[in-house]
């Protein structure tokens, strides 16, 4: 298993140190760098390449929502896992809209945080009780996934097959093998799915699949 490179963005140094100590106990995780706010994070992203960013929401100068939006627009391969003390729906929804792949509370058990990192890295999203089905439904109603002209878009049979496999955590090579397609063709279907559903990331595809009854949670 390849090592997952992490970045931590949080304005409380004591929390960062505690989180680092927890994560460093796992041999498959590597802390590339830490940042005290969104601006520090963005500056380091210019020359460092983490796989996953553990992102606080409330930070000075540039908060977690702004930083997540910037990452989505400029470093879309980097996955953001929100880690916050706020459990209100508004904060969860706003972070998911900004492009976060999951949401955890800071009082989560250490093993849950580690599991969430691996899940986000592998699947592209992480759902738990704080991002419940009811919240997903609320997000679907409010999300820009329902942008103009997007809500009535229909997928063809092959696109639905690919979408189902993406939701089952399958990688492009696995999808290609299962459907007897080339990897390049699968990549094309994935791109088309993003376009037709209006999704920003895998989370958006999963939410679309739930909305359309293609996937159950």
């Amino acid at each position: 298993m390849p090592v997952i490179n992490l970045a931590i963005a949080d304005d409380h140094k004591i929390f960062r140190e505690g989180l680092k100590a927890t994560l460093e106990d796992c041999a498959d995780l590597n802390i590339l760098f830490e940042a005290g706010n969104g601006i520090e994070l963005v500056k380091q992203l210019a020359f460092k390449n983490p796989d996953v960013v553990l992102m606080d929401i409330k930070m000075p100068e540039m908060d977690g929502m702004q930083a997540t939006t910037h990452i989505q627009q400029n470093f879309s391969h980097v996955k953001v896992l929100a880690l916050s003390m706020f459990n209100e729906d508004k904060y969860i929804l706003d972070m998911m809209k900004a492009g976060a792949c999951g949401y955890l509370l800071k009082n989560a058990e250490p093993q849950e945080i580690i599991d969430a990192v691996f899940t986000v890295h592998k699947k592209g999203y992480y759902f738990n009780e704080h991002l419940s089905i009811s919240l997903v439904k609320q997000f679907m109603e409010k999300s820009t996934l329902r942008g103009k002209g997007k809500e009535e878009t229909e997928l063809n049979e092959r696109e639905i097959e690919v979408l189902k496999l993406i939701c089952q955590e399958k990688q492009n090579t696995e999808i290609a093998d299962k459907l007897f397609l080339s990897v390049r063709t699968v990549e094309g279907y994935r791109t088309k799915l993003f376009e037709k559903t209006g999704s920003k990331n895998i989370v958006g595809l999963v939410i679309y699949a739930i909305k359309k009854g293609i996937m159950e949670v």
Side-chain angles (χ1 to χ4, degrees):
M1 179 183 294
V3 172
I4 300 173
N5 291 312
L6 303 175
I8 300 172
D10 194 289
D11 60 329
H12 294 98
K13 185 174 181 179
I14 292 178
F15 178 79
R16 294 201 309 268
E17 292 299 323
L19 184 58
K20 283 169 57 181
T22 295
L23 298 173
E24 285 172 347
D25 284 339
C26 182
D28 295 319
L29 300 179
N30 174 52
I31 312 297
L32 267 188
F33 67 89
E34 58 184 283
N37 57 57
I39 290 178
E40 291 180 12
L41 173 67
V42 168
K43 286 180 178 178
Q44 296 201 64
L45 284 174
F47 55 91
K48 294 181 181 179
N49 188 32
D51 299 302
V52 179
V53 175
L54 292 166
M55 183 83 75
D56 188 19
I57 295 180
K58 291 292 186 180
M59 295 184 291
E61 299 188 60
M62 178 186 284
D63 64 25
M65 293 178 194
Q66 293 170 314
T68 299
T69 299
H70 181 88
I71 288 173
Q72 182 63 45
Q73 293 173 345
N74 299 279
F75 306 96
S76 58
H77 63 284
V78 177
K79 298 176 176 66
V80 174
L81 180 60
L83 194 58
S84 174
M85 61 183 291
F86 301 107
N87 63 358
E88 291 90 344
D89 287 358
K90 179 184 183 302
Y91 290 103
I92 300 173
L93 288 169
D94 286 347
M95 282 299 288
M96 300 303 285
K97 288 178 182 178
C101 298
Y103 195 103
L104 280 175
L105 295 179
K106 286 186 174 181
N107 62 1
E109 292 295 325
Q111 189 59 50
E112 183 180 7
I113 297 174
I114 292 172
D115 290 344
V117 169
F118 281 105
T119 301
V120 161
H121 183 256
K122 180 180 180 181
K123 296 171 61 175
Y125 63 91
Y126 176 77
F127 291 157
N128 63 4
E129 67 271 19
H130 299 294
L131 192 58
S132 62
I133 295 176
S134 61
L135 187 56
V136 168
K137 290 179 178 177
Q138 182 181 357
F139 176 49
M140 289 188 296
E141 291 298 319
K142 296 182 177 181
S143 172
T144 54
L145 294 179
R146 300 187 64 193
K148 184 177 180 181
K150 298 291 184 181
E151 63 271 27
E152 298 301 327
T153 298
E154 295 295 331
L155 304 182
N156 62 41
E157 184 177 349
R158 180 64 88 185
E159 289 167 343
I160 291 174
E161 287 179 322
V162 173
L163 178 56
K164 285 181 178 178
L165 292 171
I166 290 173
C167 292
Q168 292 170 19
E169 310 172 28
K170 303 299 183 184
Q171 303 299 314
N172 286 348
T173 52
E174 296 173 303
I175 297 173
D177 290 342
K178 188 171 183 64
L179 298 181
F180 304 103
L181 301 171
S182 69
V183 173
R184 182 180 294 274
T185 299
V186 173
E187 291 172 349
Y189 275 117
R190 185 182 289 256
T191 299
K192 196 67 175 178
L193 284 169
F194 283 126
E195 293 174 354
K196 293 182 75 170
T197 64
S199 302
K200 295 180 179 179
N201 51 26
I202 298 298
V203 173
L205 291 180
V206 172
I207 290 172
Y208 177 91
I210 296 170
K211 176 183 177 182
K212 294 294 185 178
I214 297 169
M215 172 191 175
E216 294 182 359
V217 177

